[in-house]
Amino acid sequence: MATAPRPLVAGNWKMNGLSASAGELEAIIAGAAGIAAEADLMVCPPATLLARFAAIARGAPVLIGAQDCHAEPAGAFTGDISAEMIADCGGQAVIVGHSERRFYHQEDDPAVKAKAMAAMRAGLIAILCIGETKQERDAGATLVRLEKQLQGSLPERLDAASLVIAYEPVWAIGTGVTPGPADVEEVHAFIRQFLTARDPSGGPGIRILYGGSVKPSNARDLLAVRNVNGALVGGASLKAADFLGIAAAYA
Ligand code: PGA
């Protein structure tokens, strides 16, 4: 059997963080030493802090990522940033297709796919998010929904070094509610199967993160689930102690 992919714990700061928040990153870097042997750590601050955070984290075992990118490398797209710009200011990754982007900015699967391919074009790791709504789960349509998202938004080439999938049930984000371990296991097994069927060589090594209300108190149980190769953490990533407390599941 292939060895399990190296875990990744990524923090999505969303629209939070000012210059003064650099102290949290410094605290994360200080605490990263005990974890770096076992797992990758990543912080995704707002775009305004990207260059500053990338400079602070240079040489440290903490990757820096962005939260979104435009599909084009440059052009007349006011307010957007490209994957090439993220790479240019020292970012190593970008989240694409987060449910908040899909919902508030009407991003559909083809748009998300274009962004994932842009990320890979620019040499970034794409963290591609998928997840069902509460209504879809209640209707028993979770796997149907996820399959549709995977079919529509996965890039053409599956490369474990540059693609990460994040399973984030929309109803678990910011709510304090999480699926049970059996539900997480079922979904992650389904995603793994889909990736492996699509690409028998690249699929097995792609990291599949769980996201949605991950905290220090539930991280150990969630991260122990088969085919869970790390976490995408929102609220609990804003405080270094909580973020490190989650990542400590791998220490
Ligand atoms: P949460 O957010 O950890 O605050 O639930 C997760 C996410 O949206 O990535």
Side-chain angles (χ1 to χ4, degrees), residues 102-127:
R102 291 178 186 263
F103 181 75
Y104 293 118
H105 299 270
Q106 292 81 43
E107 291 184 9
D108 59 9
D109 288 331
V112 173
K113 175 178 178 176
K115 289 177 182 219
M117 291 177 73
M120 293 163 89
R121 176 190 70 214
L124 301 176
I125 299 166
I127 302 180

Side-chain angles (χ1 to χ4, degrees), residues 1-248:
M1 212 183 103
T3 51
R6 180 175 158 84
L8 166 66
V9 179
N12 171 12
W13 280 25
K14 309 192 180 185
M15 198 173 73
N16 297 289
L18 300 170
S19 309
S21 319
E24 293 300 326
L25 176 64
E26 281 156 3
I28 290 169
I29 290 170
I35 294 155
E38 305 300 331
D40 289 336
L41 290 180
M42 184 190 293
V43 173
C44 301
T48 47
L49 293 177
L50 203 52
R52 179 192 291 239
F53 276 29
I56 293 171
R58 190 160 300 136
V62 176
L63 301 164
I64 301 297
Q67 300 171 13
D68 179 47
C69 67
H70 196 281
E72 295 296 326
F77 303 103
T78 302
D80 279 313
I81 60 171
S82 70
E84 281 75 5
M85 290 170 177
I86 293 165
D88 182 56
C89 67
Q92 292 128 311
V94 60
I95 299 167
V96 297
H98 189 280
S99 61
E100 286 151 18
R101 299 292 315 176
R102 291 178 186 263
F103 181 75
Y104 293 118
H105 299 270
Q106 292 81 43
E107 291 184 9
D108 59 9
D109 288 331
V112 173
K113 175 178 178 176
K115 289 177 182 219
M117 291 177 73
M120 293 163 89
R121 176 190 70 214
L124 301 176
I125 299 166
I127 302 180
L128 197 166
C129 303
I130 57 173
E132 83 286 1
T133 62
K134 181 83 172 74
Q135 290 88 326
E136 287 160 347
R137 173 149 295 259
D138 290 346
T142 298
L143 300 184
V144 173
R145 178 74 189 122
L146 297 175
E147 181 169 23
K148 191 164 171 292
Q149 287 182 327
L150 287 169
Q151 262 159 1
S153 57
L154 272 183
E156 299 298 337
R157 190 169 52 87
L158 299 190
D159 168 25
S162 59
L163 180 67
V164 173
I165 305 295
Y167 167 56
E168 298 206 303
V170 176
W171 50 273
I173 294 176
T175 58
V177 183
T178 66
D183 288 331
V184 175
E185 181 166 351
E186 181 195 24
V187 167
H188 279 242
F190 173 78
I191 296 170
R192 175 70 65 212
Q193 233 168 34
F194 187 99
L195 296 173
T196 303
R198 167 78 85 89
D199 184 341
S201 65
I206 291 178
R207 292 179 283 193
I208 308 172
L209 312 185
Y210 168 78
S213 295
V214 180
K215 321 181 260 249
S217 59
N218 62 18
R220 232 164 252 284
D221 288 344
L222 287 164
L223 295 175
V225 173
R226 200 175 158 80
N227 281 310
V228 172
N229 312 119
L232 182 55
V233 185
S237 71
L238 294 170
K239 288 272 164 273
D242 289 343
F243 187 60
L244 291 168
I246 291 167

